[in-house]
């Protein structure tokens, strides 16, 4: 039998893993929406449910954090990790929302590339969160996320140039730019998650 | 006779109440501006004075916070509360400023709805700040602010859709979108104020 | 012989000075780019190198901060100072990047004024950083930066009005507005640097 000396702290790991798993679901819904053009309303509703579930998880982490019981990492790092995971979801949800709100039918190919990067980043993040418990094997996670973010940046810049290349009227450019910027914000937020994991790992080392 | 053991801390409550009362004034100026079309220049000047007064209050709170005397709540929460109150004022001031700068004459009806929500949020916030002293009766405040923020979100989304609905040329859409986004930022900042109050209350409970 | 009792902390001063000197280089590259129209590709490449150098410095500061050795100021203030210096560089780099990406040939005169303010702010900041060691003569630095930021705000607002004054088509307005907003963000970040220096000085006094 293994004695748990700090049973209450353990659940932080589970809450972070949960939050990240929820991002995998969100990223897949996003891919579905911009992919073969499934039922947009149904996907939009699932995304909203996904975002609410994410909110619940974030609040649960914050509540526990305010409860002042012992924490496995510095409180400020737990706060940052939870906030950044939440930021990813908010940005992906906003992108889905805007695509519906603006009734965007034809999306430029580059947006599919953006979303593929987000899907991969979500999977890597979900795989990494449980490793916070042992602190093993995390470096390759944050290195890969940084590479993905660089890739996302390239795609984003190409998309911006493409939007202004004369193929779209000004109002359409404004709409697409809003969507593209939310997706870029999601990629940035994945990097913030990885940076915080790196900070936590460095402090523990 | 009641002895005050920590007399210097008390003024935090007054400074926060002061800051929030200033937001009520700002929200009313905003309502006046977009309402019956009073003297725009005069209102703009009053708004600037209001924003400066808010800045003074924020700096006073920060100065006291840096002074390292005892604080009634966690320093980081005082910092967040003061910053978020300041963010509300900055966003409302920016909206007024842009309306003047862009010489926007005809504003869509939805903007009036946005500002009504801000007025109500400012009043609720100003009523709640003095209750930080006793920590009583704060839950209904943050619940109502969260409801107002949801309402603000709905209005904001409807406005965005309306702006792109074909009734405006691209340059006007850009101008109105800037204003509408500042007002949405003000509503978000009111929610941050309420979230920080909730954090403070949870820690004290 | 002078004994150094806290030899490890000293390098924070050097790292901050280094970071600020790097901003002087960045601001000059920006001025060169929008000035007489030198070789844009070459300047863009130098700017990217400058931004990478800035990133290295920021990471070095963060690594040391996470190492938990004693710090000359509050950790949170060191964090804020390093982040704000980094924000300045990111915004200036983004402006250069967008000018290239959008192939903007003709830039409005106001942008030159914006960049002149940034150059001056960078020089003042680079001169001030070494004075963190003695804490002497810092007030006039943050006062001057605040004045410069006010000036930057005026220029920014005039530029916005100019962009919408009918001389540009909607797509060009969108492009120029993105550039102008990055330059305004750089001026704001210089003010955040100065505010943090003020906080540090107040705490030490």
């Amino acid at each position: 039998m293994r004695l748990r000396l700090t049973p209450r702290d353990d659940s932080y790991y589970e809450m972070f893993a949960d939050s990240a798993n929820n991002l995998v679901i969100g990223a897949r819904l996003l891919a579905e929406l911009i992919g073969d053009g499934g039922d947009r309303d149904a996907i939009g509703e699932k995304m909203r449910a996904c975002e609410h579930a994410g909110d619940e998880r974030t609040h649960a982490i914050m509540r526990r954090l305010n409860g002042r019981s012992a924490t496995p990492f510095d409180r400020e790092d737990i706060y940052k990790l939870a906030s950044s995971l939440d930021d990813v979801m908010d940005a992906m949800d906003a992108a889905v929302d805007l695509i519906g709100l603006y009734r965007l039918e034809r999306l430029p190919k580059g947006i599919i590339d953006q979303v593929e990067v987000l899907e991969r980043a979500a999977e890597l993040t979900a795989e990494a969160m449980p490793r916070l418990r042992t602190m093993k094997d995390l470096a390759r996670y944050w290195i890969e996320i940084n590479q993905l973010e660089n890739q996302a940046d390239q795609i984003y810049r190409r998309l911006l140039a493409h939007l202004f290349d004369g193929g779209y009227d000004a109002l359409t450019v404004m709409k697409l730019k809003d969507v593209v910027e939310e997706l870029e914000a999601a990629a940035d937020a994945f990097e913030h998650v990885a940076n915080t994991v790196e900070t936590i790992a460095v402090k523990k080392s």
Side-chain angles (χ1 to χ4, degrees), chain A:
Chain A
M1 196 190 94
R2 199 168 130 257
L3 268 174
R4 288 223 178 163
L5 292 177
T6 54
R8 299 163 84 192
D9 300 346
D10 275 312
S11 60
Y12 275 111
Y13 305 109
E14 276 142 45
M15 288 193 285
F16 285 132
D18 237 43
S19 243
N21 284 329
N22 200 44
L23 296 183
V24 176
I25 300 173
R28 280 180 192 159
L29 286 168
L30 191 50
E32 210 183 318
L33 181 78
I34 62 152
D36 58 357
D39 180 347
R40 285 197 168 193
D41 289 344
I43 296 170
E45 219 154 293
K46 279 186 206 164
M47 193 69 184
R48 251 187 313 284
C50 190
E51 196 267 338
H52 285 312
D55 266 357
E56 301 267 308
R57 284 162 173 85
T58 308
H59 288 149
I61 296 172
M62 297 307 187
R63 258 197 312 275
R64 168 172 285 270
L65 199 55
N66 289 332
R68 297 180 172 256
S69 58
T71 55
F73 325 119
D74 279 356
R75 312 188 87 81
E76 70 196 60
D77 295 325
I78 293 179
Y79 178 84
K80 270 190 212 165
L81 194 48
S83 302
S84 306
L85 289 164
D86 196 53
D87 289 345
V88 175
M89 181 55 87
D90 281 352
M92 294 198 304
D93 178 51
V96 168
D97 191 44
L98 288 172
I99 290 170
L101 193 69
Y102 290 158
R103 295 195 206 115
L104 288 165
E105 295 306 328
R106 204 173 51 97
L107 294 170
K109 161 81 181 70
I111 287 185
I112 300 176
D113 299 334
Q114 273 191 306
V115 172
E116 271 176 15
V117 171
L118 293 179
E119 270 193 282
R120 184 74 194 116
E123 285 158 10
L124 281 173
T125 305
E127 284 162 29
M129 287 299 118
R131 301 207 296 272
L132 279 171
R133 198 186 286 267
T134 58
M135 289 289 159
K136 274 183 188 142
D137 230 13
L138 285 166
R140 65 183 167 89
Y141 149 68
W142 70 65
I143 291 168
E144 269 190 83
I145 291 287
N146 277 289
Q147 287 164 347
L148 283 174
E149 206 274 331
N150 284 339
Q151 232 177 291
D153 266 358
Q154 300 287 327
I155 298 167
Y156 169 66
R157 296 180 69 256
R158 271 205 309 271
L159 260 166
L160 272 192
H162 167 71
L163 291 184
F164 285 98
D165 247 12
Y168 303 93
D169 66 281
L171 287 178
T172 305
V173 172
M174 289 175 71
K175 291 177 193 173
L176 289 172
K177 194 162 174 274
D178 276 356
V179 173
V180 160
E181 281 173 352
E182 290 294 351
L183 296 175
E184 172 68 1
D188 283 344
F190 270 122
E191 197 186 21
H192 297 158
V193 172
N195 289 347
T196 305
V197 169
E198 185 176 359
T199 296
I200 291 169
V202 168
K203 286 181 178 176
K204 287 276 174 189
S205 69

